[in-house]
């Protein structure tokens, strides 16, 4: 008896091992989600968390208190392990979320609930409660945590497989001498160091690229209208999801960019990038810094006698969109009058979405009255934005119905342009996709991560009022492209002579346009292609393969 009393408190501590208890279910659930590719699992932090739960405490009461006090830390770690937006993104988007209607907020909340996974989690819970009667689950949990840390740190090849891309990463076709001096690409395995170096090199190259517009137009230059239509929430993946990728309207364009990257998944940054198309792709941070005057496409055209115009089917107030255009895209033109325009749709924030067919007709009528002056007009349209609904309805309007309506209105507008005889260069450039089909990283409608499915957008170019025949079918531009290619195409056409030429060499017109590797960025997230595979970095952390 005296010997038992003489046992030191330190020894009693190391004899007080207890299991993880109900926390085993927490880790088992994570293992299943990781196995299915739904987690960006932080193996080391999870191992540290498990160690904190396992550290021996002689007092059973303290042990039980620890299990309860660990709840907020466990929930925070679970959130950290998901692909959900980081706190910086939530804070930055918080003001916009408060502008959502109550119906739209309920709709978004419902999307976050995956009932199949709720059922799977229940089955896993029942299985855990049943098996834990005979098997010490804590031993299994710790063994898997140790194996995951070992595999990720020592055997990186065991990490989830990346998504293969359709195209390789080419060097840009037109670069300045400063850019040509840089090496073509970073070589080596996709380590954090190599991927960071590749991204840094990409922005160095892009910083050196610029479209060269003529200093002045020749005396025989032909005036025409440049019309840029920027459509929110329209990507190839969305068109495929609603069976509209083969819509007849796409065959009406003279050129189709089939491998165009919007470089972002949000409206403001997308429009800024488009209006800054005359310089290479900048980082998300640099979008909100001053840029050289030569970067602004409409300013380049203004120097050549084009008057700028702005038209929208919405108020531009949500998310300070119009402010972004004024401050960061140098778009100072007043918004074309919306008085008298009808509207069948209400935006996710309760504001009206005006009829685009009427908006197109009003613009054309104004142009006809103005005569043959050179103009450059920027249209921004949002009828396809997530959460839009028909007047009198509390339910989100069907995307396919809205998309078909918009394509029909655009098709009718193209008919009107052809009948008018005006010389018009039409460029249709969506902002980004709608994320109709979610993936393992994001639910449907969520665009915090600029995945390839969201940023791969259809871009079409059509010339009206030409004497030369159009190509029998659209010329496909399959090279990886982005906004600089649009600016270059405008620069090649800016003298308007192709409108009066008897023939046009379409292949020559579209040859050697600037190519841009796939790099997309939102605040806090970067997605890029490296050696034919897609990788993602969140909040400045480590690069991981984009989950299939």
């Amino acid at each position: 008896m005296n010997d038992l009393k003489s046992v030191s408190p330190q020894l009693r501590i190391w004899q007080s091992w207890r299991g993880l208890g109900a926390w085993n279910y927490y880790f088992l659930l994570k293992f299943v989600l990781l196995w299915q590719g739904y987690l960006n699992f932080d193996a080391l932090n999870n191992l540290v968390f498990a160690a904190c739960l396992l550290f021996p405490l002689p007092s059973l009461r303290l042990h039980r208190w620890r299990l309860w006090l660990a709840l907020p830390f466990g929930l925070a770690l679970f959130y950290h392990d998901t692909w959900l937006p980081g706190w910086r993104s939530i804070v930055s988007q918080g003001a916009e979320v408060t502008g959502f209607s109550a119906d739209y907020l309920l709709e978004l909340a419902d999307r976050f609930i995956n009932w199949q996974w709720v059922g799977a989690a229940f089955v896993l819970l029942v299985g855990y409660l049943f098996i834990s009667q005979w098997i010490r689950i804590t031993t299994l949990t710790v063994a898997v945590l140790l194996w995951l840390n070992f595999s990720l740190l020592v055997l990186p090849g065991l990490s989830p497989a990346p998504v293969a891309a359709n195209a390789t990463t080419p060097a840009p076709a037109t670069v300045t001498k400063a850019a040509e001096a840089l090496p073509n690409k970073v070589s080596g395995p996709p380590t954090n160091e190599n991927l960071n170096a590749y991204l840094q090199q990409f922005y160095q190259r892009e910083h050196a690229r610029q479209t060269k517009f003529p200093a002045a137009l020749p005396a025989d230059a032909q005036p025409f209208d440049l019309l840029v239509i920027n459509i929110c929430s329209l990507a190839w993946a969305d068109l495929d999801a609603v069976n509209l990728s083969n819509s007849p309207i796409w065959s009406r364009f003279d050129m189709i960019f089939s491998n165009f990257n919007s470089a972002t998944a949000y409206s403001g940054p997308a429009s800024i990038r488009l209006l800054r198309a005359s310089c290479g792709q900048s980082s998300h941070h640099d979008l909100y810094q001053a840029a050289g005057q030569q970067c602004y496409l409409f300013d380049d055209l203004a120097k050549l006698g084009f008057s700028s115009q702005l038209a929208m089917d919405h108020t531009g107030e949500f998310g300070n969109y119009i402010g972004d255009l004024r401050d960061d895209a140098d778009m100072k033109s007043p918004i074309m009058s919306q008085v008298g325009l009808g509207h069948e749709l209400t935006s996710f924030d309760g504001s009206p979405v005006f009829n685009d067919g009427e908006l197109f007709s009003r613009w054309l009528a104004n142009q006809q009255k103005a005569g043959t002056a050179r103009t450059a007009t920027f249209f921004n349209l949002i009828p396809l934005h997530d959460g839009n609904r028909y007047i009198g309805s509390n339910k989100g309007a069907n995307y396919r119905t809205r998309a078909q309506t918009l394509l029909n209105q655009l098709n009718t507008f193209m008919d009107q342009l052809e009948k008018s005889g005006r010389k018009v260069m039409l460029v249709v450039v969506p902002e980004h996709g709608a994320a109709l089909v979610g993936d393992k990283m994001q639910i449907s409608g969520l665009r915090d991560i600029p995945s390839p499915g969201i940023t791969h957008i259809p871009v079409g170019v059509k010339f009206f009022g030409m004497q030369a025949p159009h190509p029998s079918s659209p010329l496909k531009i399959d090279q990886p492209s982005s906004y600089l290619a649009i600016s270059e195409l405008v620069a090649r056409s800016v003298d308007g002579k192709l409108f009066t030429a008897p023939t046009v060499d379409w292949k020559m017109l579209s040859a050697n346009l600037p190519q841009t590797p796939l790099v997309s960025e939102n605040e806090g997230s970067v997605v890029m292609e490296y050696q034919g595979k897609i990788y993602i970095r969140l909040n400045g952390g480590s690069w991981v393969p984009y989950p299939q």
Side-chain angles (χ1 to χ4, degrees), residues 230-297:
N230 198 208
I231 303 173
C232 178
S233 303
L234 183 66
W236 285 114
D238 304 319
L239 291 169
D240 289 339
V242 296
N243 298 316
L244 289 176
S245 55
N246 293 320
S247 172
I249 192 172
W250 304 117
S251 64
R252 298 193 62 174
F253 288 96
D254 296 321
M255 302 177 190
I256 291 286
F257 287 83
S258 60
N259 197 7
F260 194 99
N261 182 41
S262 70
T264 184
Y266 283 129
S267 299
S271 296
I272 295 172
R273 290 187 183 280
L274 176 54
L275 290 170
R276 289 189 182 186
S278 295
C279 285
Q281 183 174 323
S282 67
S283 68
H284 179 83
H285 172 270
D286 288 348
L287 280 182
Y288 299 95
Q289 310 301 316
Q293 205 67 26
Q294 74 279 2
C295 294
Y296 300 99
L297 174 60

Side-chain angles (χ1 to χ4, degrees), residues 253-257 471 473-477 506-508 510-511:
F253 288 96
D254 296 321
M255 302 177 190
I256 291 286
F257 287 83
S473 61
L475 191 69
K476 290 289 184 69
I477 302 173
W506 293 100
K507 290 186 177 180
M508 180 67 70
S510 61

Side-chain angles (χ1 to χ4, degrees), residues 228-232 260 274 427-431 457-460 483 486:
V228 179
I229 298 182
N230 198 208
I231 303 173
C232 178
F260 194 99
L274 176 54
V427 184
V428 175
V429 191
E431 296 175 352
I457 58 174
V459 173
Y483 302 103
I486 293 176

Side-chain angles (χ1 to χ4, degrees), residues 59 90 130 174 191 252 264 332 341 374 410 413 434 444 511:
S59 169
I90 293 175
F130 181 75
T174 57
T191 63
R252 298 193 62 174
T264 184
K332 307 301 184 184
L341 294 176
R374 293 181 176 89
L410 184 57
F413 181 48
S444 172

Side-chain angles (χ1 to χ4, degrees), residues 342-357:
H343 75 280
E344 297 81 32
L345 286 171
T346 299
S347 180
F348 47 87
D349 65 343
S351 60
V353 179
F354 298 105
N355 184 289
D356 291 305

Side-chain angles (χ1 to χ4, degrees), residues 131-376:
I131 296 175
S132 62
Q133 298 177 83
W134 301 284
I135 299 177
R136 188 172 174 83
I137 304 297
T138 296
T139 303
L140 174 65
T141 300
V142 173
V144 174
L145 284 170
L146 289 172
W147 180 82
L148 286 171
N149 277 270
F150 176 77
S151 65
L152 293 175
L153 295 176
V154 182
L155 301 173
L158 294 176
S159 58
V163 175
N166 293 327
T168 57
T169 304
T174 57
V175 296
T176 64
K177 292 183 178 180
E180 290 173 340
L182 294 169
N184 286 333
K185 62 180 181 179
V186 175
S187 60
T191 63
N192 269 314
E193 182 180 7
N194 285 339
L195 291 170
N196 285 329
Y198 178 85
L199 182 63
Q200 182 180 11
Q201 176 192 280
F202 169 81
Y203 284 129
Q204 286 176 340
R205 290 174 66 87
E206 292 300 301
H207 182 71
R209 297 210 292 174
Q210 177 188 335
T211 302
K212 298 296 183 182
F213 280 82
L217 294 177
D220 58 346
Q222 299 296 310
F224 69 95
D225 302 311
L226 172 66
L227 181 54
V228 179
I229 298 182
N230 198 208
I231 303 173
C232 178
S233 303
L234 183 66
W236 285 114
D238 304 319
L239 291 169
D240 289 339
V242 296
N243 298 316
L244 289 176
S245 55
N246 293 320
S247 172
I249 192 172
W250 304 117
S251 64
R252 298 193 62 174
F253 288 96
D254 296 321
M255 302 177 190
I256 291 286
F257 287 83
S258 60
N259 197 7
F260 194 99
N261 182 41
S262 70
T264 184
Y266 283 129
S267 299
S271 296
I272 295 172
R273 290 187 183 280
L274 176 54
L275 290 170
R276 289 189 182 186
S278 295
C279 285
Q281 183 174 323
S282 67
S283 68
H284 179 83
H285 172 270
D286 288 348
L287 280 182
Y288 299 95
Q289 310 301 316
Q293 205 67 26
Q294 74 279 2
C295 294
Y296 300 99
L297 174 60
F298 278 42
D299 287 355
D300 292 327
L301 294 170
K303 295 173 185 176
L304 299 175
F306 286 76
S307 59
S308 296
Q309 300 178 152
L310 173 63
M312 300 191 302
D313 64 2
H314 56 105
T315 63
E317 295 177 359
F318 182 81
N320 194 35
Y321 176 81
I322 189 64
D324 287 344
L325 293 190
R326 306 297 192 206
D327 298 337
D328 301 303
D330 205 33
M331 174 54 70
K332 307 301 184 184
S333 304
I335 301 175
M336 189 179 78
S337 174
Q338 299 167 335
V339 176
L341 294 176
H343 75 280
E344 297 81 32
L345 286 171
T346 299
S347 180
F348 47 87
D349 65 343
S351 60
V353 179
F354 298 105
N355 184 289
D356 291 305
E358 295 180 19
L359 193 66
F360 292 149
S361 297
R362 177 170 294 186
W363 176 85
L364 182 56
N366 291 343
Q367 298 302 105
Q368 296 288 57
K369 293 177 183 178
T372 58
R374 293 181 176 89
T375 65

